[in-house]
Amino acid sequence: MFFVDTIELEGLGNRSYLAGGEQTAAAVDPPRDIDRVLAAAARRGVRISHVVETHIHNDYVTGGLELARTAGAAYLVPAGARVSFPRVPVSDGDTVGIDAGVTLTAMATPGHTPHHTSYVLHDAGRPVAAFTGGSLLIGTVGRPDLVEPRLTEQLARAQHASAHRLATDLPDATAVLPTHGFGSFCSSAQSEGDASTIGKEKAGNAALTADVDTFVADLLAGLDDVPAYYAHMGPTNAAGPAPVDLTPPAPADAEEIAARLEAGEWVVDLRNRIAFAEGHVAGALNFEADGKLATYLAWMVPWGKPVTLLAESAGQLADAQRELVRVGIDRPAAAATGGPDRWVREGEPPASFPRSTFAGLAELGTDRVVVLDVRRDAERAGGWIEGSVHIPVHELHRRLGEVPDGTVWVHCAGGMRAAIAASLLDAAGRDVVAVDDGFDSATDAGLPLTSG
């Protein structure tokens, strides 16, 4: 009997898998923090004999090389991927035995990258699951624009062909097990649903229901912004990532926190946005630990700039470290736990700013304040508050000088990114109100919306 265990990486919107039989197993697209995969294998009582990559990842640092070394496993990487470390190159049709009656067969599925490879899990010769990486996702496909702009249309067409190959070669009952699509910006659209099969994808995935020209045109028209840190992930993975160090960072007291801020470093407060607004270290930035911490912090922080983390507990700090190593922020410069009473120098009051709702904005009137929309371009295209200024949150730290004078009411689609933006504006000395509300409430509040 075979098994497949899913390892969720919720912050990044990805999944990794452990699949095998009674004694041995293969890890597919493992995360940087390999202890999660080792723990999954220990729970099953199996040895990891193979570590498998579907492609060189653009959205996170892989743990594949270190996991293979630690487990003494064969490291399978697509033959077309240019890497700087020893591995077992895998080509289309290659098959490896994982356990008694359990095999993996490589299937070339270019599109997300030129070398992308899916792996079909067979049990007693019967295909039971396909690890499709960034190829065929649930209801969509992986985006084709992360490798090289000149290749984007060519790769989009390859995605269509690869999806059809999977649908043609595999039975309808075959489980589709992608790496991307659960919030990752590597997905061309966000997946709807938690599980799928080849048969379900045939019925509803545009890659399998639309002709290639229509599919490519729609795919390219719908591509969203690319997180800036993606530029660093591919080269890091191709070079071979270093092992991670998840030991606690050096502790920082109030004086050191102040000194790091004065040196222009980033001090990141991980507490929830309500607590941050009520009181925080002046100059600190708010990236909630329970939000998309890794995605937005890595997207916005100048690459390589020291980061000090402020957490309400040692557990929150440890979880944040784990998230950040997955995107190449390997070691915080320093850290502190507790709250503003321990982080602010004696005699200095904590900073704060008010929060409100779209109803509060409507009551005040948009003509009396600056309304700043920090949603992405694709989100704003669906409608915006008349007269609002638009700067996506991931661009705001470079464009603060473009925000007009006056009190700034900043909003996003739900509140998390508005809190990040409000902390940036507050750190820059602006009067700010964070709109902690869903954008649908703007209509209910009677605010004038426009689009087009």
Side-chain angles (χ1 to χ4, degrees), residues 38-69:
L38 293 169
R43 286 192 295 271
R44 283 283 183 179
V46 296
R47 176 177 64 86
I48 297 174
S49 60
H50 295 78
V51 177
V52 176
E53 301 283 9
T54 57
H55 61 294
I56 300 300
H57 302 283
N58 286 294
D59 64 329
Y60 69 92
V61 180
T62 180
L65 182 61
E66 182 61 17
L67 179 59
R69 287 172 177 165

mmCIF file of all heavy atoms in Angstrom, residues 38-69:
data_model
loop_
_atom_site.group_PDB
_atom_site.id
_atom_site.type_symbol
_atom_site.label_atom_id
_atom_site.label_comp_id
_atom_site.label_asym_id
_atom_site.label_seq_id
_atom_site.Cartn_x
_atom_site.Cartn_y
_atom_site.Cartn_z
ATOM 1 N N LEU A 38 11.365 15.463 7.927
ATOM 2 C CA LEU A 38 11.926 14.361 8.726
ATOM 3 C C LEU A 38 10.927 13.892 9.777
ATOM 4 O O LEU A 38 10.807 12.690 10.040
ATOM 5 C CB LEU A 38 13.233 14.805 9.382
ATOM 6 C CG LEU A 38 14.394 15.080 8.417
ATOM 7 C CD1 LEU A 38 15.538 15.755 9.153
ATOM 8 C CD2 LEU A 38 14.857 13.795 7.742
ATOM 9 N N ALA A 39 10.198 14.832 10.363
ATOM 10 C CA ALA A 39 9.194 14.461 11.367
ATOM 11 C C ALA A 39 8.054 13.673 10.724
ATOM 12 O O ALA A 39 7.548 12.705 11.304
ATOM 13 C CB ALA A 39 8.651 15.717 12.056
ATOM 14 N N ALA A 40 7.659 14.065 9.510
ATOM 15 C CA ALA A 40 6.595 13.339 8.810
ATOM 16 C C ALA A 40 7.039 11.907 8.511
ATOM 17 O O ALA A 40 6.260 10.949 8.640
ATOM 18 C CB ALA A 40 6.222 14.068 7.520
ATOM 19 N N ALA A 41 8.315 11.742 8.119
ATOM 20 C CA ALA A 41 8.832 10.405 7.859
ATOM 21 C C ALA A 41 8.901 9.581 9.136
ATOM 22 O O ALA A 41 8.592 8.372 9.135
ATOM 23 C CB ALA A 41 10.215 10.501 7.213
ATOM 24 N N ALA A 42 9.289 10.223 10.232
ATOM 25 C CA ALA A 42 9.367 9.515 11.511
ATOM 26 C C ALA A 42 7.990 9.040 11.959
ATOM 27 O O ALA A 42 7.840 7.921 12.485
ATOM 28 C CB ALA A 42 9.996 10.423 12.567
ATOM 29 N N ARG A 43 6.970 9.876 11.730
ATOM 30 C CA ARG A 43 5.612 9.462 12.112
ATOM 31 C C ARG A 43 5.176 8.238 11.311
ATOM 32 O O ARG A 43 4.447 7.381 11.813
ATOM 33 C CB ARG A 43 4.629 10.621 11.898
ATOM 34 C CG ARG A 43 4.737 11.728 12.943
ATOM 35 C CD ARG A 43 3.577 12.695 12.855
ATOM 36 N NE ARG A 43 3.556 13.438 11.600
ATOM 37 C CZ ARG A 43 4.184 14.603 11.414
ATOM 38 N NH1 ARG A 43 4.903 15.130 12.401
ATOM 39 N NH2 ARG A 43 4.113 15.230 10.250
ATOM 40 N N ARG A 44 5.599 8.145 10.064
ATOM 41 C CA ARG A 44 5.254 7.002 9.212
ATOM 42 C C ARG A 44 6.168 5.799 9.467
ATOM 43 O O ARG A 44 5.872 4.689 9.038
ATOM 44 C CB ARG A 44 5.375 7.397 7.748
ATOM 45 C CG ARG A 44 4.218 8.238 7.231
ATOM 46 C CD ARG A 44 3.006 7.377 6.982
ATOM 47 N NE ARG A 44 1.898 8.158 6.416
ATOM 48 C CZ ARG A 44 0.724 7.630 6.091
ATOM 49 N NH1 ARG A 44 0.513 6.328 6.269
ATOM 50 N NH2 ARG A 44 -0.239 8.385 5.599
ATOM 51 N N GLY A 45 7.317 6.051 10.123
ATOM 52 C CA GLY A 45 8.274 4.976 10.331
ATOM 53 C C GLY A 45 8.974 4.557 9.066
ATOM 54 O O GLY A 45 9.310 3.379 8.892
ATOM 55 N N VAL A 46 9.222 5.521 8.166
ATOM 56 C CA VAL A 46 9.852 5.211 6.894
ATOM 57 C C VAL A 46 11.163 5.972 6.753
ATOM 58 O O VAL A 46 11.395 6.997 7.398
ATOM 59 C CB VAL A 46 8.931 5.558 5.702
ATOM 60 C CG1 VAL A 46 7.680 4.699 5.720
ATOM 61 C CG2 VAL A 46 8.569 7.048 5.690
ATOM 62 N N ARG A 47 12.021 5.480 5.882
ATOM 63 C CA ARG A 47 13.274 6.140 5.538
ATOM 64 C C ARG A 47 13.072 6.911 4.231
ATOM 65 O O ARG A 47 12.435 6.404 3.302
ATOM 66 C CB ARG A 47 14.378 5.096 5.364
ATOM 67 C CG ARG A 47 15.727 5.662 4.908
ATOM 68 C CD ARG A 47 16.778 4.566 4.821
ATOM 69 N NE ARG A 47 16.436 3.570 3.813
ATOM 70 C CZ ARG A 47 16.750 3.680 2.514
ATOM 71 N NH1 ARG A 47 17.384 4.763 2.073
ATOM 72 N NH2 ARG A 47 16.424 2.716 1.672
ATOM 73 N N ILE A 48 13.603 8.120 4.165
ATOM 74 C CA ILE A 48 13.522 8.903 2.930
ATOM 75 C C ILE A 48 14.648 8.439 2.005
ATOM 76 O O ILE A 48 15.833 8.649 2.275
ATOM 77 C CB ILE A 48 13.638 10.413 3.217
ATOM 78 C CG1 ILE A 48 12.456 10.868 4.087
ATOM 79 C CG2 ILE A 48 13.683 11.212 1.918
ATOM 80 C CD1 ILE A 48 12.546 12.310 4.539
ATOM 81 N N SER A 49 14.272 7.772 0.924
ATOM 82 C CA SER A 49 15.255 7.227 -0.014
ATOM 83 C C SER A 49 15.510 8.151 -1.198
ATOM 84 O O SER A 49 16.562 8.067 -1.838
ATOM 85 C CB SER A 49 14.787 5.863 -0.538
ATOM 86 O OG SER A 49 13.525 5.998 -1.207
ATOM 87 N N HIS A 50 14.526 9.025 -1.496
ATOM 88 C CA HIS A 50 14.644 9.936 -2.634
ATOM 89 C C HIS A 50 14.101 11.306 -2.258
ATOM 90 O O HIS A 50 13.086 11.402 -1.546
ATOM 91 C CB HIS A 50 13.873 9.416 -3.856
ATOM 92 C CG HIS A 50 14.417 8.142 -4.426
ATOM 93 N ND1 HIS A 50 14.167 6.915 -3.841
ATOM 94 C CD2 HIS A 50 15.198 7.908 -5.511
ATOM 95 C CE1 HIS A 50 14.769 5.971 -4.546
ATOM 96 N NE2 HIS A 50 15.390 6.540 -5.571
ATOM 97 N N VAL A 51 14.770 12.318 -2.727
ATOM 98 C CA VAL A 51 14.282 13.698 -2.635
ATOM 99 C C VAL A 51 14.122 14.190 -4.065
ATOM 100 O O VAL A 51 15.045 14.053 -4.889
ATOM 101 C CB VAL A 51 15.255 14.594 -1.850
ATOM 102 C CG1 VAL A 51 14.749 16.030 -1.834
ATOM 103 C CG2 VAL A 51 15.425 14.069 -0.425
ATOM 104 N N VAL A 52 12.965 14.750 -4.373
ATOM 105 C CA VAL A 52 12.594 15.032 -5.759
ATOM 106 C C VAL A 52 12.213 16.499 -5.919
ATOM 107 O O VAL A 52 11.420 17.029 -5.135
ATOM 108 C CB VAL A 52 11.399 14.138 -6.161
ATOM 109 C CG1 VAL A 52 10.930 14.472 -7.568
ATOM 110 C CG2 VAL A 52 11.767 12.669 -6.049
ATOM 111 N N GLU A 53 12.790 17.152 -6.919
ATOM 112 C CA GLU A 53 12.404 18.531 -7.264
ATOM 113 C C GLU A 53 11.671 18.524 -8.600
ATOM 114 O O GLU A 53 12.138 17.904 -9.569
ATOM 115 C CB GLU A 53 13.631 19.431 -7.393
ATOM 116 C CG GLU A 53 14.496 19.541 -6.155
ATOM 117 C CD GLU A 53 13.938 20.447 -5.073
ATOM 118 O OE1 GLU A 53 12.771 20.894 -5.183
ATOM 119 O OE2 GLU A 53 14.669 20.699 -4.099
ATOM 120 N N THR A 54 10.530 19.215 -8.651
ATOM 121 C CA THR A 54 9.846 19.360 -9.931
ATOM 122 C C THR A 54 10.504 20.425 -10.801
ATOM 123 O O THR A 54 10.403 20.377 -12.027
ATOM 124 C CB THR A 54 8.363 19.716 -9.734
ATOM 125 O OG1 THR A 54 8.261 20.910 -8.958
ATOM 126 C CG2 THR A 54 7.626 18.584 -9.029
ATOM 127 N N HIS A 55 11.156 21.411 -10.156
ATOM 128 C CA HIS A 55 11.818 22.487 -10.901
ATOM 129 C C HIS A 55 12.677 23.295 -9.935
ATOM 130 O O HIS A 55 12.612 23.098 -8.724
ATOM 131 C CB HIS A 55 10.787 23.391 -11.587
ATOM 132 C CG HIS A 55 9.827 24.082 -10.666
ATOM 133 N ND1 HIS A 55 8.879 23.406 -9.916
ATOM 134 C CD2 HIS A 55 9.642 25.402 -10.357
ATOM 135 C CE1 HIS A 55 8.164 24.268 -9.210
ATOM 136 N NE2 HIS A 55 8.614 25.474 -9.450
ATOM 137 N N ILE A 56 13.488 24.193 -10.486
ATOM 138 C CA ILE A 56 14.227 25.146 -9.662
ATOM 139 C C ILE A 56 13.236 26.234 -9.260
ATOM 140 O O ILE A 56 12.744 26.977 -10.102
ATOM 141 C CB ILE A 56 15.413 25.748 -10.438
ATOM 142 C CG1 ILE A 56 16.362 24.634 -10.867
ATOM 143 C CG2 ILE A 56 16.142 26.768 -9.569
ATOM 144 C CD1 ILE A 56 16.958 23.829 -9.727
ATOM 145 N N HIS A 57 12.968 26.328 -7.977
ATOM 146 C CA HIS A 57 11.875 27.173 -7.495
ATOM 147 C C HIS A 57 12.235 28.654 -7.514
ATOM 148 O O HIS A 57 13.370 29.036 -7.231
ATOM 149 C CB HIS A 57 11.483 26.749 -6.082
ATOM 150 C CG HIS A 57 11.073 25.310 -6.002
ATOM 151 N ND1 HIS A 57 9.850 24.864 -6.421
ATOM 152 C CD2 HIS A 57 11.748 24.209 -5.580
ATOM 153 C CE1 HIS A 57 9.767 23.551 -6.262
ATOM 154 N NE2 HIS A 57 10.922 23.133 -5.753
ATOM 155 N N ASN A 58 11.233 29.463 -7.826
ATOM 156 C CA ASN A 58 11.394 30.912 -7.851
ATOM 157 C C ASN A 58 10.786 31.608 -6.642
ATOM 158 O O ASN A 58 11.000 32.808 -6.454
ATOM 159 C CB ASN A 58 10.735 31.491 -9.116
ATOM 160 C CG ASN A 58 11.541 31.199 -10.365
ATOM 161 O OD1 ASN A 58 12.647 31.695 -10.528
ATOM 162 N ND2 ASN A 58 10.986 30.385 -11.240
ATOM 163 N N ASP A 59 10.015 30.889 -5.835
ATOM 164 C CA ASP A 59 9.299 31.566 -4.753
ATOM 165 C C ASP A 59 9.755 31.155 -3.364
ATOM 166 O O ASP A 59 9.326 31.747 -2.390
ATOM 167 C CB ASP A 59 7.788 31.342 -4.887
ATOM 168 C CG ASP A 59 7.385 29.885 -4.729
ATOM 169 O OD1 ASP A 59 8.193 29.004 -5.094
ATOM 170 O OD2 ASP A 59 6.274 29.619 -4.247
ATOM 171 N N TYR A 60 10.618 30.160 -3.258
ATOM 172 C CA TYR A 60 11.143 29.808 -1.933
ATOM 173 C C TYR A 60 12.472 29.088 -2.082
ATOM 174 O O TYR A 60 12.816 28.595 -3.158
ATOM 175 C CB TYR A 60 10.144 28.952 -1.153
ATOM 176 C CG TYR A 60 9.918 27.539 -1.663
ATOM 177 C CD1 TYR A 60 10.673 26.468 -1.178
ATOM 178 C CD2 TYR A 60 8.931 27.263 -2.606
ATOM 179 C CE1 TYR A 60 10.450 25.178 -1.629
ATOM 180 C CE2 TYR A 60 8.708 25.980 -3.064
ATOM 181 C CZ TYR A 60 9.473 24.935 -2.568
ATOM 182 O OH TYR A 60 9.267 23.660 -3.014
ATOM 183 N N VAL A 61 13.211 29.054 -0.997
ATOM 184 C CA VAL A 61 14.481 28.340 -0.969
ATOM 185 C C VAL A 61 14.195 26.883 -0.635
ATOM 186 O O VAL A 61 13.552 26.584 0.367
ATOM 187 C CB VAL A 61 15.444 28.945 0.060
ATOM 188 C CG1 VAL A 61 16.770 28.183 0.065
ATOM 189 C CG2 VAL A 61 15.681 30.429 -0.223
ATOM 190 N N THR A 62 14.678 25.992 -1.465
ATOM 191 C CA THR A 62 14.404 24.577 -1.260
ATOM 192 C C THR A 62 15.240 23.998 -0.123
ATOM 193 O O THR A 62 16.352 24.460 0.147
ATOM 194 C CB THR A 62 14.679 23.768 -2.542
ATOM 195 O OG1 THR A 62 14.395 22.394 -2.295
ATOM 196 C CG2 THR A 62 16.144 23.889 -2.961
ATOM 197 N N GLY A 63 14.696 22.969 0.491
ATOM 198 C CA GLY A 63 15.457 22.187 1.457
ATOM 199 C C GLY A 63 15.955 20.884 0.864
ATOM 200 O O GLY A 63 16.495 20.037 1.583
ATOM 201 N N GLY A 64 15.779 20.725 -0.456
ATOM 202 C CA GLY A 64 16.074 19.448 -1.088
ATOM 203 C C GLY A 64 17.499 18.973 -0.927
ATOM 204 O O GLY A 64 17.749 17.811 -0.596
ATOM 205 N N LEU A 65 18.469 19.858 -1.167
ATOM 206 C CA LEU A 65 19.869 19.455 -1.096
ATOM 207 C C LEU A 65 20.240 19.017 0.311
ATOM 208 O O LEU A 65 20.861 17.960 0.504
ATOM 209 C CB LEU A 65 20.757 20.614 -1.557
ATOM 210 C CG LEU A 65 22.262 20.340 -1.591
ATOM 211 C CD1 LEU A 65 22.583 19.203 -2.549
ATOM 212 C CD2 LEU A 65 23.014 21.615 -1.999
ATOM 213 N N GLU A 66 19.857 19.795 1.310
ATOM 214 C CA GLU A 66 20.194 19.453 2.691
ATOM 215 C C GLU A 66 19.441 18.211 3.154
ATOM 216 O O GLU A 66 19.991 17.378 3.883
ATOM 217 C CB GLU A 66 19.889 20.639 3.604
ATOM 218 C CG GLU A 66 20.246 20.431 5.063
ATOM 219 C CD GLU A 66 21.734 20.170 5.287
ATOM 220 O OE1 GLU A 66 22.554 20.454 4.386
ATOM 221 O OE2 GLU A 66 22.078 19.661 6.376
ATOM 222 N N LEU A 67 18.186 18.061 2.728
ATOM 223 C CA LEU A 67 17.427 16.875 3.115
ATOM 224 C C LEU A 67 18.068 15.614 2.530
ATOM 225 O O LEU A 67 18.183 14.587 3.222
ATOM 226 C CB LEU A 67 15.977 16.999 2.652
ATOM 227 C CG LEU A 67 15.056 15.820 2.975
ATOM 228 C CD1 LEU A 67 14.986 15.573 4.477
ATOM 229 C CD2 LEU A 67 13.662 16.058 2.399
ATOM 230 N N ALA A 68 18.495 15.683 1.274
ATOM 231 C CA ALA A 68 19.145 14.528 0.659
ATOM 232 C C ALA A 68 20.426 14.164 1.393
ATOM 233 O O ALA A 68 20.715 12.983 1.632
ATOM 234 C CB ALA A 68 19.430 14.823 -0.816
ATOM 235 N N ARG A 69 21.199 15.177 1.775
ATOM 236 C CA ARG A 69 22.433 14.930 2.516
ATOM 237 C C ARG A 69 22.128 14.310 3.878
ATOM 238 O O ARG A 69 22.771 13.344 4.299
ATOM 239 C CB ARG A 69 23.192 16.237 2.712
ATOM 240 C CG ARG A 69 23.859 16.788 1.467
ATOM 241 C CD ARG A 69 24.402 18.176 1.752
ATOM 242 N NE ARG A 69 25.125 18.738 0.605
ATOM 243 C CZ ARG A 69 25.431 20.029 0.495
ATOM 244 N NH1 ARG A 69 25.079 20.877 1.458
ATOM 245 N NH2 ARG A 69 26.101 20.453 -0.557
#
